[in-house]
Amino acid sequence: MDGRTVGRLPARRAGGFVVRFVVAGGWWLVALRGLPRGEVAGPRWVDVDLERRELTVAHQLVHTDEGLVWCEPKSAASRRTLALDPETVRLLRQHERAQRQLPGEWWSPTGPIFTLGSGAPVQPSYLTHRLHKLVSASGLPPVRLHDLRHGAATLALASGTELKVVQGTLGHASIVLTADTYVSVLPQLYHDSARATARLVLRAGRATNRKIGKAGRRRDSHAAHRDSRSDDATTDPGKAAGRRGRPGGT
């Protein structure tokens, strides 16, 4: 196993209920930030800064023969800080308040964010089985937990997020891996980029044409006014004589 072991927890059955997990941002972190299950189970409250709306992926929770083990992320790229959207922050605040109100001394800055009814951390395998049950109950086509990670990356790319940002969000060591994994999404992004570029150029062109048109109409108006005055002087000599007879006339 990669990474230094930083703590051990006894293996427990995941039969207890998860304290407000479903509505507290756990699935949200998987579906929008693309966290794998070990990185969803691993964060502690000290790893999240709700004021700055950031989550530092400093640990993951993995199964071993000795039980559950908190260890460092599998690579340097996996150790990263993720930006959180306001809705995720709201759900995490709600979850923290609920956890603090539970009987006993459950909440701790160094304690896990997502826990079972016993206070033990959510096991990664529980997340897999729980999602399977939720998907089956909803009548949706089969969706694996890892599919949510792929979905998060696909949605980010489809929204126009740069490939380098998606690489950092997923914790990929190489941008080539990200590009190769989501190559099916890239052609559509290229088309979207072409259309967006064309829209920008055409919009700028139309704005320039409007400015040119307005300037031209002003010039035409001024020219027409000068021509009108010239025509008046030519067709009505009296007006011209009257202007010459006024003070200041020549």
Side-chain angles (χ1 to χ4, degrees):
M1 177 176 56
D2 293 335
R4 178 177 59 83
T5 299
V6 296
R8 282 190 172 82
L9 298 165
R12 296 172 182 261
R13 295 181 58 83
F17 65 93
V18 175
V19 180
R20 301 179 67 83
F21 175 82
V22 175
V23 297
W27 302 126
W28 209 263
L29 290 174
V30 181
L32 295 187
R33 298 285 77 193
L35 291 180
R37 65 182 194 173
E39 292 180 357
V40 174
R44 304 162 302 165
W45 285 113
V46 73
D47 298 322
V48 63
D49 188 333
L50 297 179
E51 294 299 325
R52 295 171 60 92
R53 295 191 300 187
E54 292 179 346
L55 172 67
T56 298
V57 180
H59 304 93
Q60 62 176 334
L61 197 60
V62 299
H63 292 278
T64 71
D65 293 339
E66 301 177 12
L68 289 175
V69 175
W70 255 317
C71 65
E72 294 181 346
K74 61 182 180 180
S75 69
S78 297
R79 186 180 180 88
R80 60 203 187 278
T81 298
L82 301 176
L84 302 177
D85 64 279
E87 179 63 13
T88 300
V89 171
R90 185 188 70 81
L91 293 173
L92 288 174
R93 288 188 188 279
Q94 181 185 45
H95 179 64
E96 183 181 19
R97 286 194 299 269
Q99 197 176 87
R100 283 174 177 269
Q101 293 171 0
L102 292 171
E105 298 181 357
W106 277 24
W107 189 92
S108 167
T110 57
I113 294 177
F114 304 114
T115 60
L116 298 173
S118 61
V122 170
Q123 295 190 35
S125 61
Y126 176 89
L127 302 180
T128 300
H129 300 319
R130 179 62 177 164
L131 180 67
H132 176 73
K133 289 183 178 180
L134 291 172
V135 171
S136 298
S138 70
L140 293 171
V143 177
R144 300 171 305 159
L145 188 64
H146 204 69
D147 294 335
L148 297 184
R149 175 172 166 85
H150 290 313
T154 301
L155 289 172
L157 289 169
S159 71
T161 304
E162 294 183 4
L163 191 63
K164 185 67 176 177
V165 175
V166 175
Q167 175 202 351
T169 299
L170 297 178
H172 286 167
S174 168
I175 197 170
V176 175
L177 172 61
T178 311
D180 288 346
T181 303
Y182 301 103
V183 64
S184 62
V185 185
L186 296 179
Q188 182 60 45
L189 297 181
Y190 296 148
H191 285 290
D192 292 343
S193 175
R195 286 193 294 270
T197 302
R199 283 197 299 269
L200 180 63
V201 172
L202 291 173
R203 189 181 303 120
R206 285 192 291 268
T208 301
N209 287 337
R210 284 195 295 269
K211 291 179 181 179
I212 293 174
K214 288 180 180 179
R217 287 192 293 273
R218 283 196 297 269
R219 287 195 300 269
D220 292 344
S221 176
H222 293 160
H225 183 63
R226 288 195 302 269
D227 292 344
S228 175
R229 293 181 63 184
S230 177
D231 290 344
D232 288 346
T234 303
T235 59
D236 192 346
K239 290 183 179 180
R243 284 195 293 270
R244 287 196 298 270
R246 290 196 296 268
T250 56

